[in-house]
């Protein structure tokens, strides 16, 4: 699932917003793009609002599963112009504002505005985590150097176990780097990743954090996050899928990823990561790989 996050600048009343979703019955028709959103159906997952403490904050949340038909204009039969969308939104209050995590991207803002019956500008604002090629390179550096364990407090650590890089909209990994040391494959993968980092569109990160043995997620330069619950291993499994997914996505957005990004920014601020370190890292990988090739050539010549 691909996710985006938004926050509400107009309404801070959490229960009122939940009510807007569960009671929404209108239809959306846009003459400018010829798209209609109709036949909305909503299901509030938790009868009572749930709470979780993340990054020192008490978060109130609920999850709403909903579906609707997208109808495009045209002369074709109605069934050929109709597409049923199944999605969900996690609505949460962080003590300051109401936020939405939704598994929609290009039409997310439109859907949220329509359900809230907003007609002005700036009521629903994007609130995604920004990542860059430099952030990707730093992650690779930390994993390859076995500096992949971040101590958060006395009891919890984040472990970056492996990273896969992807180019374009594809499921085939361009390269993979893991904390396996300086094996030839890891050297080649690391060099490939660094050389192609500006062309990579997303990375898949496998992490271990606190009571969570395995969290696999993707980070996209377009600011979307991907997550697969079926690959998750950890204590939240005991909560059942609906509650576990809700808590995990909140964990990703409000604790795990902000802590990783904060570590990255601190290392940049302390000059532990900058252009000079990156260049030296590239040289180190190149020299090590060249040495391995020379060793292989010497071994072949001596045994001919």
């Amino acid at each position: 699932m691909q996710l985006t996050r938004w926050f509400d600048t107009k309404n801070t009343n959490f229960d009122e917003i939940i009510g807007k979703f569960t009671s929404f019955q209108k239809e959306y028709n846009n003459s400018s793009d010829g798209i209609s959103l109709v036949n909305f159906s909503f299901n509030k997952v938790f009868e009572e609002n749930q709470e979780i403490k993340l990054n020192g904050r008490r978060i109130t949340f609920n999850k709403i599963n909903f579906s609707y038909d997208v109808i495009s204009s045209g002369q074709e039969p109605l069934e050929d112009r109709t597409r049923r969308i199944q999605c969900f939104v996690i609505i949460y209050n962080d003590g300051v504002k109401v936020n939405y995590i939704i598994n929609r991207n290009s039409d997310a803002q439109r859907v949220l505005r329509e359900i809230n019956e907003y007609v002005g500008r700036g009521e629903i604002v994007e609130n995604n985590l920004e990542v860059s090629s430099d952030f990707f390179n730093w992650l690779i550096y930390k994993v390859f150097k076995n500096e992949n364990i971040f101590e958060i407090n006395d009891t919890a650590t984040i472990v970056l176990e492996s990273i896969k890089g992807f180019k374009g909209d594809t499921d085939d990994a361009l390269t993979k780097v893991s904390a396996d040391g300086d094996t030839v494959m890891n050297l080649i993968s690391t060099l490939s990743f660094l050389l192609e980092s500006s062309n990579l569109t997303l990375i898949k990160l496998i992490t271990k954090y606190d009571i969570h043995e395995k969290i696999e997620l993707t980070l996209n330069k377009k600011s979307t996050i991907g997550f697969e619950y079926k690959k998750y291993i950890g204590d939240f499994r005991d909560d059942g899928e609906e509650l576990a997914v809700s808590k995990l996505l909140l964990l990703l957005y409000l604790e795990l990823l902000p802590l990783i990004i904060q570590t990255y920014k601190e290392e940049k601020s302390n000059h532990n990561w900058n252009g000079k370190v990156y260049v030296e890292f590239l040289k180190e990988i190149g020299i090590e790989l060249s040495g391995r090739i020379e060793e292989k050539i010497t071994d072949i010549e001596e045994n001919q």
Side-chain angles (χ1 to χ4, degrees):
M1 65 180 79
Q2 290 295 317
L3 304 144
T4 56
R5 183 174 62 167
W6 308 78
F7 72 88
D8 198 311
T9 66
K10 187 173 183 179
N11 193 348
T12 59
N13 190 317
F14 181 79
D15 290 324
E16 182 178 307
I17 290 175
I18 294 290
K20 283 186 176 182
F21 276 78
T22 56
S23 62
F24 184 78
Q25 294 181 342
K26 292 185 178 180
E27 297 184 351
Y28 170 86
N29 296 282
N30 190 333
S31 58
S32 63
D33 60 13
I35 298 295
S36 298
L37 309 182
V38 302
N39 299 325
F40 280 87
S41 176
F42 297 88
N43 174 44
K44 186 171 75 168
V45 174
F46 309 117
E47 184 176 344
E48 300 292 333
N49 294 332
Q50 303 294 302
E51 287 191 351
I52 186 173
K53 189 174 183 180
L54 295 169
N55 222 355
R57 293 179 292 173
R58 181 68 61 180
I59 306 299
T60 302
F61 68 93
N62 212 314
K63 182 173 186 278
I64 295 178
N65 298 328
F66 65 104
S67 58
Y68 55 93
D69 289 334
V70 178
I71 303 176
S72 57
S73 60
Q75 302 301 316
E76 299 84 358
L78 180 62
E79 58 270 22
D80 294 341
R81 296 182 285 110
T82 303
R83 180 167 54 100
R84 190 69 177 171
I85 302 295
Q86 305 279 347
C87 52
F88 69 80
V89 60
I90 296 169
I91 305 172
Y92 72 91
N93 189 333
D94 59 10
V96 178
K97 57 185 179 295
V98 174
N99 299 261
Y100 309 89
I101 298 173
I102 184 170
N103 63 335
R104 302 295 300 167
N105 186 10
S106 59
D107 64 347
Q109 187 180 47
R110 171 191 288 178
V111 171
L112 293 173
R113 281 174 50 81
E114 178 63 18
I115 295 172
N116 280 292
E117 300 183 53
Y118 291 157
V119 295
R121 293 180 177 272
E123 296 105 336
I124 301 293
V125 178
E126 189 175 13
N127 187 24
N128 289 315
L129 299 169
E130 293 186 7
V131 296
S132 63
S133 296
D134 188 65
F135 177 66
F136 287 179
N137 290 334
W138 174 78
L139 288 173
I140 289 297
Y141 175 81
K142 302 302 285 186
V143 171
F144 184 84
K145 287 286 197 175
N146 283 316
E147 298 176 7
N148 57 319
I149 300 176
F150 306 148
E151 295 184 0
I152 305 305
N153 52 47
D154 292 338
T155 60
T157 58
I158 297 173
V159 181
L160 308 180
E161 296 193 335
S162 69
I163 300 174
K164 291 181 180 179
F166 296 80
K167 187 177 179 181
D169 298 324
T170 174
D171 290 332
D172 296 325
L174 177 67
T175 183
K176 176 184 177 180
V177 178
S178 60
D180 292 333
D182 59 350
T183 64
V184 172
M185 286 304 298
N186 222 34
L187 285 165
I188 294 173
S189 293
T190 301
L191 184 59
S192 176
F193 197 118
L194 296 173
L195 293 176
E196 291 285 348
S197 62
S198 62
N199 297 318
L200 296 177
T201 55
L202 63 89
I203 60 170
K204 180 174 289 185
L205 186 62
I206 297 178
T207 68
K208 179 180 179 181
Y209 176 51
D210 196 20
I211 59 174
H212 313 284
E213 288 295 318
K214 181 182 179 183
I215 301 176
E216 186 169 317
L217 65 142
T218 59
L219 300 176
N220 195 307
K221 287 182 181 177
K222 297 178 180 179
S223 299
T224 64
I225 291 178
F227 174 75
E228 293 185 65
Y229 175 68
K230 65 182 179 180
K231 295 183 179 180
Y232 167 74
I233 302 173
D235 286 10
F236 281 1
R237 282 273 181 188
D238 297 337
D239 294 326
E241 184 169 346
E242 289 283 21
L243 183 55
V245 167
S246 301
K247 290 166 68 173
L248 280 166
L249 295 183
L250 289 168
L251 176 77
L252 292 182
Y253 272 103
L254 298 177
E255 189 166 287
L256 180 60
L257 287 173
L259 287 172
I260 294 175
I261 292 172
Q262 181 183 356
T263 303
Y264 161 70
K265 290 181 178 179
E266 287 175 355
E267 294 219 340
K268 283 179 67 70
S269 177
N270 296 331
H271 304 292
N272 292 324
W273 176 255
N274 52 34
K276 182 178 179 180
V277 176
Y278 174 55
V279 168
E280 291 301 317
F281 182 41
L282 269 173
K283 289 180 180 179
E284 177 186 343
I285 298 298
I287 291 171
E288 181 65 26
L289 191 55
S290 296
R292 297 295 182 91
I293 293 172
E294 290 298 325
E295 288 177 7
K296 187 64 177 178
I297 291 172
T298 301
D299 183 63
I300 293 172
E301 290 176 341
E302 289 177 351
N303 289 281
Q304 280 184 340

